[in-house]
Amino acid sequence: MKTIRLISELQELIDRNKRNHQTVGFVPTMGFLHAGHLSLVEQARKENDIVVMSIFVNPAQFGPGEDFEAYPRDEAYDSKLASEAGVDILFMPNRDEMYPHDGGIQILPGSQATSLCGAKRPGHFDGVLKVVLKLFNIVDPDSSYFGMKDAQQLAIIETFVRDFNLRTKIKRVPTVREKDGLAKSSRNVNLSGEERLVAPVIHQALENGKVLFDQGVSVRKVEKEVAEQITNNSSAQIDYVSLLAYPSLLPYTPEAEEAIIACAVKFEKTRLIDNIIMSTKGEEYVSNDDE
Ligand code: PAF
């Protein structure tokens, strides 16, 4: 695995590979890698000649008072995991080269960013789109791999790529879970021992929400039941629990082909998100509970 920090060096290497007709699969991350990231690499590995992973904790997507400073980082361990997983090029740019100046141009997501985390974290998806566009331009990937735990991010990026004719294909990769159902997340390390014990209730509550949804229970009641199950069984505060159409993220109507039940909860030091995406027949879109 080659580790590269300079944009020009990465671009030279990628150009050389492209001249040899090699396809490039791209896994953008903020590091502190876990099995969720490695499943993105695994899929990218199967579908491409070259796998590029970026690690960059993007300041533009953290709001004031959010956990930019506390976001976990471990470059040495990440390099080891990335190399073992089969990453060919690890791109770890520095902040000054990624954001050398601010010309004031903004990239603003549309209505998909007005609910869920977009409503709770103003500007978050502006920052995600900004860095993702920069990374796509730098890496020029044939395919880019995103996890379904960040379902809103994925939906917004799919729209961005479609509407702006970006040349990469976006690949959806199922959420990877701990044995007890907790979605893998870099932020899980910031849970206290007790919080970690009760955190699986998030997934259990979402699964129960899906059962209620399948039974035809109303959107409001499903949301209420999910929120109550979480608050009754943990110290977590609910940021939101929402049942919406997916990927439009508009209010759910029976015409929608897919629906999402998504939540964000706050423990003392960390905020976790999770979701279940379902077809309108009530089938879970993907499930990957046994890793
Ligand atoms: O999902 C993430 O880790 C980040 O939002 C991303 C896509 C790497 C952009 O910083």
Side-chain angles (χ1 to χ4, degrees), residues 38-50:
L38 303 184
S39 75
L40 304 178
V41 174
E42 194 184 333
Q43 193 169 327
R45 190 64 286 163
K46 282 188 198 139
E47 298 175 359
N48 301 275
D49 299 315
I50 301 289

Side-chain angles (χ1 to χ4, degrees), residues 68-142:
F68 176 69
E69 298 302 338
Y71 197 84
R73 294 160 170 89
D74 190 340
E75 271 196 11
Y77 189 60
D78 282 350
S79 296
K80 183 172 175 292
L81 285 188
S83 159
E84 286 169 2
V87 170
D88 298 297
I89 303 173
L90 182 60
F91 177 49
M92 296 201 280
N94 67 52
R95 183 178 175 160
D96 291 344
E97 207 193 3
M98 283 298 276
Y99 293 119
H101 32 63
D102 178 5
I105 295 175
Q106 291 181 38
I107 304 166
L108 299 178
S111 61
Q112 284 166 305
T114 56
S115 57
L116 310 180
C117 290
K120 297 290 175 179
R121 302 181 65 188
H124 169 66
F125 289 112
D126 312 9
V128 170
L129 291 184
K130 184 174 187 173
V131 80
V132 161
L133 180 60
K134 288 175 75 76
L135 290 168
F136 286 169
N137 283 333
I138 293 166
V139 177
D140 191 19
D142 295 278

Side-chain angles (χ1 to χ4, degrees), residues 8-47:
S8 59
E9 200 185 326
L10 180 76
Q11 286 180 318
E12 270 167 39
L13 186 56
I14 299 229
D15 286 352
R16 216 177 306 144
N17 285 309
K18 292 219 153 184
R19 276 198 296 276
N20 292 331
H21 307 288
Q22 301 212 289
T23 56
V24 175
F26 179 42
V27 178
T29 81
M30 298 205 301
F32 215 70
L33 302 179
H34 52 68
H37 299 111
L38 303 184
S39 75
L40 304 178
V41 174
E42 194 184 333
Q43 193 169 327
R45 190 64 286 163
K46 282 188 198 139
E47 298 175 359

Side-chain angles (χ1 to χ4, degrees), residues 175-186:
T175 301
V176 178
R177 300 184 179 281
E178 303 285 355
K179 283 207 163 38
D180 59 14
L182 178 65
K184 297 259 187 189
S185 164
S186 304

Side-chain angles (χ1 to χ4, degrees), residues 115-116 219 223 240-244 260-263:
S115 57
L116 310 180
V219 166
E223 292 171 345
Y240 63 75
V241 174
S242 297
L243 198 167
L244 298 168
I260 183 169
I261 315 178
C263 70

Side-chain angles (χ1 to χ4, degrees), residues 236-251:
Q237 304 290 311
I238 301 293
D239 211 13
Y240 63 75
V241 174
S242 297
L243 198 167
L244 298 168
Y246 192 81
S248 69
L249 301 176
L250 294 170

